[in-house]
Amino acid sequence: MPPKRQCMVVLRHALRLDEVDLAFVGSSKAPWDPPLAPAGFEQARAVSRELQTFEISTIVASPFQRCLETADTILKSWHKSLDTWHVDCKLCEVTYQFLCEPNQVWLSERLVRRCRC
């Protein structure tokens, strides 16, 4: 019997708010961590429909808000819970120690516990 095929899907976050709302950067307390734009949530839902044909067992996301929202939107459309994914603070463009400090208000305590830093 041939071995079961495994597939790894690499996905970038959906459309960021700062890409469509130029005022976001000047008005945000965290301009370096923009959330998804409304169209970004629709992009994530569209991708989730495409990915439903794969047997995805784990999702690993960067701790940035846009990445968490992309993963969460995909999981919600599949009716799966947060327990099926992980946050890896090493998946980002800046120093991950800063991102995983428990006092970061934008990263919930539950997600901090899930970080693989």
Side-chain angles (χ1 to χ4, degrees):
M1 182 156 112
K4 185 177 179 180
R5 289 180 50 193
Q6 292 186 0
C7 180
M8 183 168 104
V9 178
V10 178
L11 178 69
R12 193 164 189 264
H13 59 77
L15 183 67
R16 302 168 7 173
L17 183 60
D18 64 332
E19 294 175 335
V20 297
D21 179 0
L22 301 180
F24 172 80
V25 173
S27 63
S28 175
K29 291 181 182 179
W32 43 267
D33 188 27
L36 290 183
F41 285 98
E42 184 49 45
Q43 285 179 328
R45 285 188 288 274
V47 166
S48 74
R49 290 188 291 272
E50 295 295 322
L51 292 176
Q52 282 182 331
T53 60
F54 294 90
E55 288 184 38
I56 296 177
S57 60
T58 304
I59 291 179
V60 181
S62 162
F64 287 110
Q65 184 173 350
R66 59 195 174 267
C67 302
L68 297 173
E69 289 175 342
T70 300
D72 188 51
T73 301
I74 290 170
L75 285 169
K76 282 180 180 173
S77 73
W78 291 345
H79 306 291
K80 292 195 177 189
S81 72
L82 180 70
D83 296 332
T84 60
W85 62 294
H86 305 280
V87 178
D88 191 328
C89 297
K90 296 176 187 105
L91 295 174
C92 57
E93 300 89 2
V94 298
T95 307
Y96 61 86
Q97 289 92 347
F98 168 76
L99 294 171
C100 284
E101 291 176 6
N103 63 350
Q104 297 299 319
V105 295
W106 60 274
L107 189 60
S108 75
E109 184 178 322
R110 183 174 182 195
L111 290 177
V112 169
R113 287 195 309 268
R114 297 182 69 79
C115 278
R116 297 176 181 176
C117 299

